[in-house]
Amino acid sequence: MMARFGDLDDYLDPGLKLTVRGKEYTLPLPSAELGIWCRRIALMAGEAGAASTDEELAEATTRARIRAAELPPLPGAERLEFEQLLLGEVHAEMMRDGIPDPYIQFCAQTAYVWIVGGEDQAERYWTSGGHPEARGPDNRATRRAAARKTSTDAASTTSSQGSTSGTSSRPKSAGSGRARRSRGRRS
């Protein structure tokens, strides 16, 4: 007997929720055509879903905007901009709410990452602000505190020299000191 699964709507969220200036916008699930269109861009521009660093992810979204203009438009969407295609009705809602253009562009790029790479990639892109060097609002203070902690931890764990009586123990390696320093070079 064949296994029967429950309704997929019970397992998938209805879309991506983005909060902009205190208001939550829900992007609907993309149409099949939009998903295919975005994946074509990803293949042309460099896969956003395979980006391992925030910098690679940001570069992939930039290339996607450029490559989108090179693809034939989606049927019925010949006159729509990249942001309108990706945000759908949410684009018009953001315009009515007076959301600035850079915010709308960023939301559209996040939607692209979501379609191509999934929720985890979209969250990485969103929380980095699309800039790998900006990892959060408190990044500078956090990095400095971490650096101070690391340097004090290193200082407290440094071992002191055991004996200064002039004797030394033999090297544990069976080879000569010269061979040990060569870092694998063979002569």
Side-chain angles (χ1 to χ4, degrees):
M1 183 169 195
M2 184 179 272
R4 187 174 299 230
F5 297 107
D7 192 320
L8 192 54
D9 283 335
D10 295 338
Y11 305 104
L12 289 179
D13 289 332
L16 184 66
K17 295 182 186 319
L18 303 176
T19 304
V20 180
R21 295 197 160 176
K23 181 176 178 181
E24 185 174 88
Y25 296 91
T26 301
L27 304 180
L29 292 172
S31 67
E33 294 85 5
L34 180 59
I36 291 168
W37 189 77
C38 287
R39 283 186 290 281
R40 281 186 183 163
I41 293 172
L43 289 172
M44 292 170 60
E47 186 69 46
S52 59
T53 67
D54 291 340
E55 184 176 28
E56 289 173 1
L57 192 56
E59 290 171 2
T61 59
T62 300
R63 287 191 303 268
R65 286 184 60 77
I66 295 166
R67 297 292 189 242
E70 297 173 4
L71 278 179
L74 287 169
E78 292 84 9
R79 295 183 181 179
L80 297 180
E81 296 294 323
F82 183 76
E83 293 79 12
Q84 293 170 308
L85 286 170
L86 290 162
L87 298 175
E89 294 174 10
V90 171
H91 183 269
E93 185 180 354
M94 288 179 157
M95 295 282 288
R96 283 191 305 273
D97 292 343
I99 301 299
D101 184 61
Y103 285 47
I104 293 173
Q105 287 180 9
F106 182 70
C107 289
Q109 290 169 330
T110 302
Y112 167 77
V113 172
W114 171 56
I115 293 168
V116 173
E119 263 184 40
D120 290 342
Q121 289 286 63
E123 183 180 15
R124 276 183 51 212
Y125 186 76
W126 182 266
T127 57
S128 75
H131 301 287
E133 66 278 2
R135 298 199 185 267
D138 65 342
N139 61 346
R140 178 186 243 177
T142 304
R143 283 194 313 266
R144 286 183 177 171
R148 281 193 299 271
K149 181 172 175 23
T150 302
S151 64
T152 58
D153 287 351
S156 67
T157 59
T158 304
S159 60
S160 60
Q161 189 173 357
S163 169
T164 57
S165 65
T167 62
S168 63
S169 58
R170 297 186 74 198
K172 294 184 190 217
S173 165
S176 70
R178 182 174 169 252
R180 222 176 10 152
R181 285 190 300 269
S182 70
R183 300 253 178 205
R185 194 173 125 212
R186 296 180 186 170
S187 35

